[in-house]
């Protein structure tokens, strides 16, 4: 397998450095995922911009984490499950919701569970949601815009999940407390 370096601001291509520095300033460290992304300036820039856009959706912080964790679980991304579990805890996602997401179990909140199910449909059916899938999501209280926002979150996780699979990105110490191993890898 090809070895992807964990770039620093000193080793990253010039066009990646501003994003890497921005992430470091925002979080107090540069997560390993961004260090991998730095190899390709267009990728680190696209991911950072899409991440910022997703944070501005109509979805609450908890709802955003439901989307991101559901996609990461279905894509079996150990890195993103650890990172987003950590972020979810910091964002105040209730422990019972987080545990259910990490265990691929129904959520105790009906609206959040409808979001989890719809996200799973988008991932598993590659966007080919049926009329029934869409109706169930809308009936739970989500609007047409939220359909597109879920797709945005899935796109965001597709970039990071697939990168982590190929690069075998090591989990950062900051996320190690939420380490997760995909059931197929256990």
């Amino acid at each position: 397998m090809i070895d992807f370096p964990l770039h620093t601001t000193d080793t990253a291509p010039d066009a990646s450095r501003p994003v890497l520095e921005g992430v470091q300033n925002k979080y107090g460290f540069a997560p390993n995922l961004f260090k991998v992304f730095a190899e390709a300036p267009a990728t680190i820039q696209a991911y950072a911009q899409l991440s910022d856009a997703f944070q501005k959706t109509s979805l609450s912080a908890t709802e955003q984490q439901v989307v991101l964790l559901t996609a990461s679980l279905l894509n079996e991304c150990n890195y993103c499950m650890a990172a987003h579990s950590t972020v979810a805890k910091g964002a105040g996602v209730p422990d019972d919701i987080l545990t259910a997401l990490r265990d691929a179990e129904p959520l105790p909140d009906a609206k959040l569970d409808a979001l989890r199910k719809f996200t799973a449909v988008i991932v598993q059916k590659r966007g080919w949601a049926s009329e029934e899938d869409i109706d169930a999501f809308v009936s739970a209280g989500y609007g047409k815009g939220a359909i597109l926002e879920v797709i945005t979150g899935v796109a965001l996780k597709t970039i990071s999940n697939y990168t982590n699979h190929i690069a075998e990105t090591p989990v950062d110490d900051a996320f190690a407390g939420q380490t997760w191993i995909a059931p197929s890898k256990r």
Side-chain angles (χ1 to χ4, degrees):
M1 183 148 243
I2 191 168
D3 184 32
F4 282 85
L6 297 177
H7 282 289
T8 66
T9 53
D10 294 330
T11 65
D14 290 343
S16 294
R17 289 177 184 174
V19 177
L20 204 52
E21 289 169 354
V23 168
Q24 181 143 350
N25 290 337
K26 183 176 182 178
Y27 299 111
F29 73 105
N32 288 337
L33 175 61
F34 281 90
K35 292 176 179 180
V36 170
F37 280 156
E39 182 71 22
T43 303
I44 194 172
Q45 292 166 11
Y47 188 82
Q49 290 171 359
L50 189 57
S51 180
D52 287 345
F54 186 66
Q55 291 174 14
K56 296 173 186 168
T57 64
S58 68
L59 302 173
S60 70
T62 294
E63 290 169 324
Q64 289 173 19
Q65 292 307 314
V66 168
V67 171
L68 301 176
L69 283 162
T70 299
S72 295
L73 179 134
L74 292 171
N75 286 324
E76 297 189 340
C77 184
N78 299 339
Y79 182 93
C80 285
M81 286 299 292
H84 284 285
S85 294
T86 303
V87 171
K89 283 190 84 60
V93 173
D95 287 340
D96 60 337
I97 300 289
L98 183 56
T99 298
L101 286 167
R102 288 171 58 89
D103 293 341
E105 297 291 333
L107 302 182
D109 177 286
K111 186 175 182 185
L112 290 177
D113 198 51
L115 176 60
R116 179 191 65 82
K117 288 177 182 175
F118 187 71
T119 302
V121 163
I122 295 301
V123 173
Q124 293 170 325
K125 294 184 178 180
R126 297 186 198 136
W128 292 105
S130 69
E131 188 173 329
E132 293 80 19
D133 295 328
I134 294 168
D135 287 346
F137 184 62
V138 171
S139 293
Y142 292 99
K144 289 185 241 177
I147 293 168
L148 302 175
E149 292 170 344
V150 168
I151 294 168
T152 301
V154 169
L156 180 67
K157 285 298 93 189
T158 301
I159 295 168
S160 60
N161 295 167
Y162 290 10
T163 297
N164 290 322
H165 294 336
I166 291 171
E168 298 180 353
T169 310
V171 173
D172 301 86
D173 290 343
F175 309 140
Q178 292 295 327
T179 297
W180 180 89
I181 305 295
S184 68
K185 308 284 190 232
R186 292 179 191 163

